[in-house]
Amino acid sequence: MSIPTEPIGSIPRPETLLTALADHAAGRVEDDELAERQEEATADTIRRLQGLGCPVLVDGEQAKPSFATYPVAGLGTLAPDGAVIPFADGHTRQLPRLTGGPFRYATHADAYLRTARRHTDLPVKQAVIAPSALSLLYPAEGVDGYPREVFLDDLVDEAEADIRRCLDAGAHMVQLDFTEGRLSLKLDPSGGLLDAFVALNNRVLERFTAAERARIGVHTCPGGDLDSTHSADVDYALLLPTLFRLRVGGFYVQLASEPDRERVLRVIAETLPAEARIFVGVTDPIDPVVETAEQVRDRVLEAARHLPPERLGTCDDCGFAPFADDASTSRETAFAKITARLEGTRLAEQALGL
């Protein structure tokens, strides 16, 4: 496609997998059986995306416990009472708290990528969590015998390995999930925390060559969990100029659900790095109404009034189920929205004469 189009990451899990996850948590299902259900769901996700004509596939995060915590699931040096993330509807998600070092990933994302690639020969994109998100695991009071500076050095090493292993395993693109970027401005309106997050992520990104960074992107959104957000009330104009300092080849920006897309597009046009491509969100996973192909087309054409088509791509605003227990959006609705994104992007190409 002349205008590339890609999913963001998660797809709602099928009922068979949701049941297996609940049974596993209750001790009624062993690890091996859960792994079988996860691979079945991954294979079905790949098959359905391929059947829709997706040029780039994802595994739908069928085997991840969440987009944020997959690297530390099962790690022995964690307590459950870490940072709390509040959402607009009143529900919260809580991160674990680091209790000791050295910090090491228990799982690297290339494991998910390798499973997905067993089921397709098409390009597969792999989402990874940004190191800035995992930096929130370190408690404000510190960890005895493990200074924060040493933790951050270890985190940078592990995050580099996570990305590099995915690149080496043949990922079409490695996408850093950076939802905490917009949230940071709610926690610290001065922008100091956002600056620190970007600096930390760039410590990792600077370890890659320019050619490698062309295959690395960053996704930003105001959160999307149980049909609610954590930072949609934060002005995008305060985030984007700093976000665009990240040294990556692509930016995946939630846009469909923004109340004033034209204003955001003007900011993007003024601040997007010259070498980067922008993937604009054209479907809203939180909205239960499925977009039409024509609505998607019009959103792409809207973006093309501000940015050259050769620098444009399309995506969904966010993953459809970033946490494994999020069933607020049905699997069928997710695939219907993806279909609208694909068809609408093609209509936009035709309208632009590409």
Side-chain angles (χ1 to χ4, degrees):
M1 298 180 69
S2 301
I3 299 177
T5 186
E6 298 179 10
I8 287 300
S10 61
I11 304 291
R13 283 76 172 168
E15 285 298 326
T16 52
L17 179 52
L18 291 173
T19 299
L21 286 166
D23 288 345
H24 182 264
R28 295 188 294 268
V29 164
E30 298 296 326
D31 291 350
D32 289 349
E33 184 177 345
L34 176 61
E36 288 179 11
R37 300 291 85 76
Q38 289 170 329
E39 179 147 9
E40 289 170 359
T42 298
D44 181 69
T45 300
I46 292 288
R47 176 184 61 80
R48 294 188 66 173
L49 291 174
Q50 190 164 311
L52 294 178
C54 291
V56 175
L57 309 180
V58 291
D59 73 342
E61 301 187 353
Q62 303 297 287
K64 282 185 180 178
S66 85
F67 80 103
T69 60
Y70 72 87
V72 298
L75 204 65
T77 52
L78 297 174
D81 56 343
V84 175
I85 301 173
F87 285 77
D89 66 354
H91 88 275
T92 63
R93 292 286 184 176
Q94 187 165 26
L95 297 174
R97 172 177 57 85
L98 192 69
T99 60
F103 178 73
R104 298 289 184 268
Y105 280 21
T107 300
H108 288 88
D110 68 299
Y112 307 116
L113 175 63
R114 293 176 191 279
T115 297
R117 295 195 70 200
R118 287 202 293 266
H119 300 284
T120 184
D121 293 325
L122 292 179
V124 179
K125 170 185 178 179
Q126 183 58 55
V128 302
I129 189 62
S132 51
L134 293 178
S135 72
L136 297 173
L137 302 182
Y138 193 90
E141 64 273 18
V143 176
D144 287 344
Y146 191 47
R148 180 176 177 80
E149 293 75 15
V150 178
F151 161 71
L152 291 177
D153 288 343
D154 289 342
L155 173 57
V156 167
D157 288 343
E158 290 297 292
E160 178 196 1
D162 205 30
I163 297 170
R164 193 170 297 284
R165 287 169 65 143
C166 291
L167 293 174
D168 291 345
H172 168 76
M173 195 78 169
V174 179
Q175 172 192 290
L176 275 69
D177 287 330
F178 187 48
T179 184
E180 69 279 7
R182 199 163 177 178
L183 178 62
S184 72
L185 289 168
K186 195 167 190 174
L187 301 174
D188 175 16
S190 75
L193 182 57
L194 176 61
D195 287 340
F197 279 170
V198 168
L200 176 61
N201 292 337
N202 273 336
R203 282 182 61 186
V204 176
L205 294 166
E206 287 161 0
R207 296 186 174 192
F208 295 88
T209 66
E212 289 169 333
R213 288 197 298 271
R215 293 169 56 201
I216 303 173
V218 169
H219 170 238
T220 184
C221 73
D225 180 45
L226 301 175
D227 284 348
S228 187
T229 63
H230 54 53
S231 54
D233 54 340
V234 172
D235 189 345
Y236 237 157
L238 300 176
L239 169 68
L240 291 175
T242 303
L243 175 80
F244 291 150
R245 296 208 309 258
L246 288 168
R247 302 188 65 189
V248 294
F251 293 91
Y252 302 83
V253 176
Q254 162 266 340
L255 192 60
S257 57
E258 280 297 304
D260 190 350
R261 291 192 299 272
E262 290 276 5
R263 176 174 177 266
V264 175
L265 285 164
R266 286 194 294 270
V267 175
I268 292 172
E270 292 168 0
T271 56
L272 183 67
E275 67 279 7
R277 183 184 293 274
I278 186 83
F279 290 79
V280 294
V282 292
T283 59
D284 180 4
I286 288 178
D287 187 346
V289 178
V290 176
E291 293 82 358
T292 67
E294 290 74 19
Q295 285 176 311
V296 170
R297 175 201 61 197
D298 292 346
R299 289 170 182 175
V300 181
L301 296 179
E302 179 182 56
R305 290 196 292 270
H306 297 269
L307 292 154
E310 63 270 19
R311 298 187 67 195
L312 275 179
T314 64
C315 61
D316 309 301
D317 267 4
C318 189
F320 289 91
F323 295 86
D325 62 355
D326 183 358
S328 57
T329 300
S330 75
R331 194 166 169 84
E332 296 309 315
T333 295
F335 285 121
K337 284 177 173 280
I338 290 168
T339 299
R341 170 169 54 78
L342 295 168
E343 294 178 353
T345 302
R346 291 189 182 98
L347 290 176
E349 288 177 332
Q350 294 171 10
L352 292 167
L354 301 177

